[in-house]
Amino acid sequence: QQQVKQSPQSLIVQKGGISIINCAYENTAFDYFPWYQQFPGKGPALLIAIRPDVSEKKEGRFTISFNKSAKQFSLHIMDSQPGDSATYFCAASNAGGTSYGKLTFGQGTILTVHP
Amino acid sequence: DGGITQSPKYLFRKEGQNVTLSCEQNLNHDAMYWYRQDPGQGLRLIYYSQIVNDFQKGDIAEGYSVSREKKESFPLTVTSAQKNPTAFYLCASSFQGSTAQHFGDGTRLSIL
């Protein structure tokens, strides 16, 4: 029940295209859903996050779409650029209770944007 | 600059040897975390600590130990009991009650 399932495992997109990465969760107590971006040899960096009281959040070219009833959320990268090539992780957390702060991560998606 | 420093960047362990990975933060964060990253498996939580002198096991604590004697430091020891220690280890920190975690740049541990 703590799992977060992420797909696809890898994704190749042409420059200027839209990259879409999907995640699904089971634990209905999750109430915080961040996305992290990781470049080779570096630690993940927080990209964008959403709480379940909204269905969409946009920051620049990055948008999170959230479907509470389906227990799914996705990351859309508009106008994808070669510099977006990285590994992306979705995550989920229950901000309340004794386990607050603990993140459960998806398996990761390796995004390659071809010029 | 504030941040999280992990050292060393690369570490090699001999069979039967314990090794300790360092994690220091100057962000004044209360909570600190250790994750293990393997290809295709995402990040898995090893141990976490919300306050000094207190820590809890994560999902894969077997074969690992930690200490939290100072707010800014959270070292991880990979013991000889960890049979498959080769991985990329990431340390993170956050303010207490915050879900926004900041990560270091990791230590890659390999077996000789």
Side-chain angles (χ1 to χ4, degrees):
Chain A
Q1 194 172 6
Q2 293 293 323
Q3 276 190 323
V4 175
K5 295 183 179 180
Q6 183 172 346
S7 62
Q9 191 171 6
S10 62
L11 179 63
I12 298 174
V13 174
Q14 292 296 122
K15 178 182 176 181
I18 302 173
S19 303
I20 301 174
I21 304 171
N22 301 299
C23 284
Y25 64 97
E26 298 175 352
N27 187 349
T28 55
F30 285 148
D31 58 5
Y32 174 76
F33 303 90
W35 285 89
Y36 282 81
Q37 179 188 56
Q38 182 182 32
F39 293 105
K42 298 292 186 181
L46 180 62
L47 188 62
I48 186 173
I50 196 169
R51 295 195 181 274
D53 52 343
V54 296
S55 60
E56 185 175 282
K57 183 174 181 180
K58 184 176 180 179
E59 289 185 3
R61 296 184 293 108
F62 300 91
T63 299
I64 299 179
S65 297
F66 185 81
N67 186 330
K68 188 174 182 178
S69 60
K71 292 185 285 186
Q72 295 175 349
F73 59 109
S74 60
L75 176 69
H76 295 235
I77 305 174
M78 311 300 290
D79 188 25
S80 299
Q81 299 295 313
D84 296 331
S85 298
T87 300
Y88 292 82
F89 293 97
C90 63
S93 175
N94 175 10
T98 57
S99 63
Y100 65 83
K102 285 182 61 178
L103 288 170
T104 299
F105 284 85
Q107 295 83 356
T109 296
I110 301 172
L111 171 65
T112 303
V113 181
H114 284 159
Chain B
D1 286 341
I4 301 175
T5 301
Q6 290 188 242
S7 62
K9 192 169 181 64
Y10 299 96
L11 188 59
F12 298 91
R13 194 191 91 169
K14 295 180 181 179
E15 294 287 344
Q17 187 180 52
N18 294 353
V19 292
T20 297
L21 284 60
S22 171
C23 178
E24 303 276 335
Q25 55 97 2
N26 60 3
L27 298 167
N28 199 32
H29 284 169
D30 308 286
M32 297 187 75
Y33 310 82
W34 273 106
Y35 293 90
R36 171 179 171 139
Q37 183 175 8
D38 297 282
Q41 294 195 50
L43 279 68
R44 294 181 289 168
L45 183 64
I46 304 173
Y47 269 98
Y48 65 104
S49 169
Q50 302 285 5
I51 57 173
V52 174
N53 293 323
D54 188 44
F55 49 83
Q56 287 78 41
K57 293 181 179 180
D59 301 319
I60 56 165
E62 184 176 351
Y64 301 97
S65 65
V66 294
S67 62
R68 186 85 187 278
E69 297 178 1
K70 298 186 297 182
K71 184 177 182 178
E72 57 271 19
S73 178
F74 191 40
L76 172 75
T77 296
V78 184
T79 75
S80 57
Q82 172 49 242
K83 297 306 178 187
N84 185 24
T86 297
F88 190 49
Y89 290 88
L90 288 160
C91 178
S93 67
S94 69
F95 287 114
Q96 192 176 43
S98 171
T99 44
Q101 294 184 17
H102 298 256
F103 284 83
D105 283 339
T107 292
R108 188 166 298 280
L109 175 63
S110 302
I111 298 301
L112 288 177

